[in-house]
């Protein structure tokens, strides 16, 4: 059983093919082609009706607007997916680096504060119930 | 910094920058203040000299123990998922990422949609076919799609014969936007909204073709003239077959001239 997206894709391709055939007929039109041409026009209308009917099946499909920018520039939309994943990965690594930096800073700060204010830091650790090691 | 300390047995007040905030705690030694902490448990040794206290005043002044440290807040609860975890692994996307990064993805739209006819790699804003335009200016919809009746179909009766050149070239090459306007005879079925843009494109295509044709004609003429000149030169040269009666043909008249001089 084909998915709704595949159905829609097939229908769109059929529609585009139909339009292409009309273009060929019109480019060098002959009198006897009028009936075929009329038939093709009616097929366009039924194609549009079919596409309109299929839209309800893909209501839950959400497309990010940035993909449209890729398509408008004539670029492959799969590049958007690739760029998204790479961006997510690099952001993840950047945040991990920040968290690590803050952790090391906290450890270092506790060490230095303990050296300078031993009593206060003892109280602080007692209040915090800090079980984590300083370094 | 300007703070004053008042030492009394039971309650102590420290003003920081002459602002009274809140009263806390029991005893002060040397400007430092510990609220809510038993002195016997913790030796009160002031090593900072700048610890602040808080005072709450009003109808019912109350002593609020805020702890020994200024601005100490509750620690936020540790969450399982932070930026420090590998989110790709967490959401099970590693395989998808490896697959997508390993696969070589071509840059053009036509590589994604190979079955679509025509030239689709051109930017959409050039021929008014961008998706962004559909979002910003959505087309009129919501009307029922009905098949055309026979009366409406009469509007699609076409004349026999090929399309004019300017209309034909619309489908062959990518269009560049130009600002010339030109009147054209349109076939029935063209919508008025497309006429202006298509007219500009037709004019551009027509001019391009005209220029090409002109260039081609000019080239032809130039070649003709060159040939005639050559023939004339060859006629007058002594090595010409008609004058010398020889069978060999001298292709380069200047060479022929040199030969005669040397002889």
């Amino acid at each position: 059983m084909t998915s709704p997206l595949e159905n829609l894709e097939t229908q769109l391709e059929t529609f585009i093919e139909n339009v292409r055939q009309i273009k060929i007929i019109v480019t060098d039109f002959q009198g006897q082609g009028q009936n075929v041409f009329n038939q093709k026009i009616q097929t366009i209308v039924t194609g549009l009706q079919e596409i309109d009917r299929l839209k309800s099946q893909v209501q839950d499909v959400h497309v990010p607007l940035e993909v449209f920018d890729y398509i408008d520039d004539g670029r492959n939309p799969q590049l958007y997916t690739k760029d998204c994943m790479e961006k997510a990965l690099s952001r993840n690594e950047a945040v991990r680096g920040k968290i690590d930096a803050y952790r090391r800073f906290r450890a270092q700060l506790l060490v230095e504060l303990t050296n300078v204010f031993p009593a206060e830091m003892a109280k602080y650790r007692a209040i915090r119930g800090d079980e984590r090691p300083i370094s | 910094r300007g703070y004053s300390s008042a030492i009394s047995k039971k309650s102590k007040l420290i003003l920081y920058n002459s602002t009274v905030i809140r009263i806390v705690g029991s005893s002060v030694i040397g400007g430092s203040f510990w609220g809510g902490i038993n002195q016997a448990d913790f030796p009160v040794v002031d090593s900072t000299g700048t610890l602040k206290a808080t005072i709450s005043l009003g109808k019912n002044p109350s002593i609020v123990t805020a702890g020994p440290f200024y601005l100490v807040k509750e620690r936020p609860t540790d969450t399982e998922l932070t930026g420090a975890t590998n989110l790709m692994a967490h959401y099970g996307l590693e395989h998808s990422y490896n697959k997508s990064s390993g696969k070589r993805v071509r840059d053009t739209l036509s590589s994604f949609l190979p079955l679509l006819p025509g030239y689709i790699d051109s930017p959409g804003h050039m021929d008014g076919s961008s998706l962004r335009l559909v979002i910003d200016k959505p087309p009129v919809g919501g009307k029922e799609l009905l098949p055309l009746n026979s009366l409406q179909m009469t509007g699609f009766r076409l004349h026999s014969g090929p399309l004019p050149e300017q209309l034909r070239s619309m489908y062959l090459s990518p269009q560049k936007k130009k600002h010339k306007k030109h009147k054209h005879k349109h076939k029935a079925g063209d919508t008025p909204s497309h006429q202006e843009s298509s007219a500009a494109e037709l004019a551009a295509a027509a001019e391009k073709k005209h220029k090409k044709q002109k260039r081609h004609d000019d080239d032809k003429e130039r070649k003709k003239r060159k040939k005639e000149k050559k023939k004339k030169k060859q006629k007058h040269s002594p090595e010409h077959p008609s004058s010398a009666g020889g069978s060999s043909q001298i292709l380069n008249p200047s060479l022929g001239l040199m030969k005669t001089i040397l002889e």
Side-chain angles (χ1 to χ4, degrees):
Chain A
M1 194 172 154
T2 50
S3 71
L5 273 177
E6 282 174 358
N7 287 341
L8 182 63
E9 195 180 330
T10 311
Q11 189 57 41
L12 284 169
E13 282 176 357
T14 313
F15 183 82
I16 289 166
E17 177 58 27
N18 198 27
V19 171
R20 192 187 72 88
Q21 286 172 6
I22 286 174
K23 180 198 95 178
I24 292 168
I25 293 170
V26 164
T27 308
D28 197 0
F29 186 73
Q30 306 299 325
Q32 55 265 34
Q34 184 66 54
N35 286 336
V36 176
F37 179 63
N38 289 350
Q39 224 173 357
K40 293 281 179 193
I41 298 279
Q42 297 289 10
T43 316
I44 279 189
V45 177
T46 49
L48 285 170
Q49 284 174 327
E50 186 60 30
I51 291 166
D52 194 51
R53 189 185 66 79
L54 285 171
K55 76 177 183 200
S56 58
Q57 295 179 11
V58 293
Q59 290 282 347
D60 56 339
V61 176
H62 297 286
V63 181
L65 284 177
E66 291 83 10
V67 182
F68 290 173
D69 294 333
Y70 274 67
I71 294 169
D72 286 342
D73 291 337
R75 298 178 69 198
N76 193 339
Q78 286 173 331
L79 284 175
Y80 171 77
T81 312
K82 194 177 174 184
D83 291 346
C84 238
M85 289 191 114
E86 281 172 6
K87 226 187 276 182
L89 199 68
S90 64
R91 281 257 186 95
N92 192 182
E93 286 185 12
V95 170
R96 192 180 71 170
K98 279 183 189 172
I99 290 173
D100 280 345
Y102 274 118
R103 256 196 210 128
R104 276 186 263 120
F105 172 68
R106 180 182 177 271
Q108 190 69 27
L109 185 65
L110 283 173
V111 166
E112 295 299 327
L113 282 172
T114 309
N115 289 340
V116 180
F117 309 120
E120 287 84 356
M121 287 313 294
K123 284 184 188 91
Y124 173 78
R125 261 185 257 121
I127 289 165
R128 277 291 192 211
D130 201 353
E131 288 166 5
R132 269 190 261 171
I134 297 168
S135 54
Chain B
R1 273 252 179 110
Y3 73 89
S4 63
S5 61
I7 299 171
S8 73
K9 211 175 178 181
K10 292 257 166 110
S11 65
K12 307 295 169 192
L13 169 67
I14 290 181
L15 303 176
Y16 180 67
N17 281 347
S18 310
T19 311
V20 176
I21 309 164
R22 252 188 345 178
I23 298 173
V24 290
S26 49
S27 64
V28 178
I29 296 172
S32 67
F33 192 89
W34 303 113
I37 294 167
N38 194 348
Q39 274 191 359
D41 297 331
F42 300 95
V44 182
V45 176
D46 178 30
S47 52
T48 61
T50 55
L51 287 172
K52 293 143 192 109
T54 53
I55 302 163
S56 62
L57 297 171
K59 275 188 180 173
N60 306 311
S62 54
I63 300 167
V64 179
T65 51
F69 299 106
Y70 183 58
L71 285 182
V72 167
K73 291 177 189 170
E74 279 300 313
R75 209 194 203 131
T77 50
D78 284 332
T79 48
E80 192 192 294
L81 193 63
T82 61
T85 49
N86 185 352
L87 295 169
M88 284 277 188
H90 180 83
Y91 287 107
L93 292 171
E94 269 182 330
H95 178 69
S96 312
Y97 176 71
N98 291 334
K99 203 173 161 185
S100 68
S101 61
K103 220 187 332 180
R104 199 191 154 194
V105 179
R106 288 201 175 179
D107 200 39
T108 55
L109 186 58
S110 52
S111 59
F112 180 66
L113 298 166
L115 300 175
L116 285 191
Y119 183 69
I120 59 172
D121 294 335
S122 61
H125 60 87
M126 288 180 78
D127 54 2
S129 65
S130 67
L131 291 166
R132 190 54 78 168
L133 195 67
V134 175
I135 296 164
D136 296 336
K137 205 177 166 186
V140 175
K143 294 184 180 172
E144 208 183 337
L145 292 161
L146 297 167
L148 301 168
N149 56 35
S150 50
L151 188 67
Q152 289 166 330
M153 288 306 292
T154 54
F156 288 97
R157 275 204 217 121
L158 304 179
H159 296 287
S160 309
L163 268 181
E165 274 304 313
Q166 51 263 33
L167 287 166
R168 199 194 289 260
S169 62
M170 242 176 90
Y171 301 107
L172 294 175
S173 57
Q175 291 300 301
K176 284 182 189 170
K177 222 179 184 179
K178 283 198 179 166
H179 298 287
K180 279 190 182 171
K181 279 190 178 176
H182 197 80
K183 283 185 183 172
H184 283 276
K185 279 184 191 174
H186 291 284
K187 294 227 166 155
D190 258 355
T191 57
S193 58
H194 289 297
Q195 268 176 5
E196 272 190 24
S197 57
S198 61
E201 285 163 355
L202 290 175
E207 205 172 302
K208 218 180 176 183
K209 279 265 167 181
H210 178 69
K211 277 186 182 168
K212 244 187 181 174
Q213 193 65 36
K214 211 182 174 188
R215 230 181 290 146
H216 183 68
D217 291 338
D218 285 342
D219 281 338
K220 268 186 174 172
E221 266 191 60
R222 243 181 276 138
K223 277 183 182 168
K224 248 184 179 176
R225 269 186 248 137
K226 262 188 180 173
K227 268 186 181 172
E228 280 172 5
K229 271 187 186 171
K230 255 189 190 174
K231 274 183 183 171
K232 276 185 185 171
K233 276 189 179 174
Q234 280 174 9
K235 263 187 186 172
H236 292 299
S237 78
E239 293 288 331
H240 199 270
S242 56
S243 56
S247 57
S248 62
Q249 236 182 353
I250 297 162
L251 296 169
N252 196 336
S254 57
L255 258 174
L257 211 80
M258 286 293 286
K259 235 182 168 177
T260 47
I261 290 167
L262 288 165
E263 279 171 7

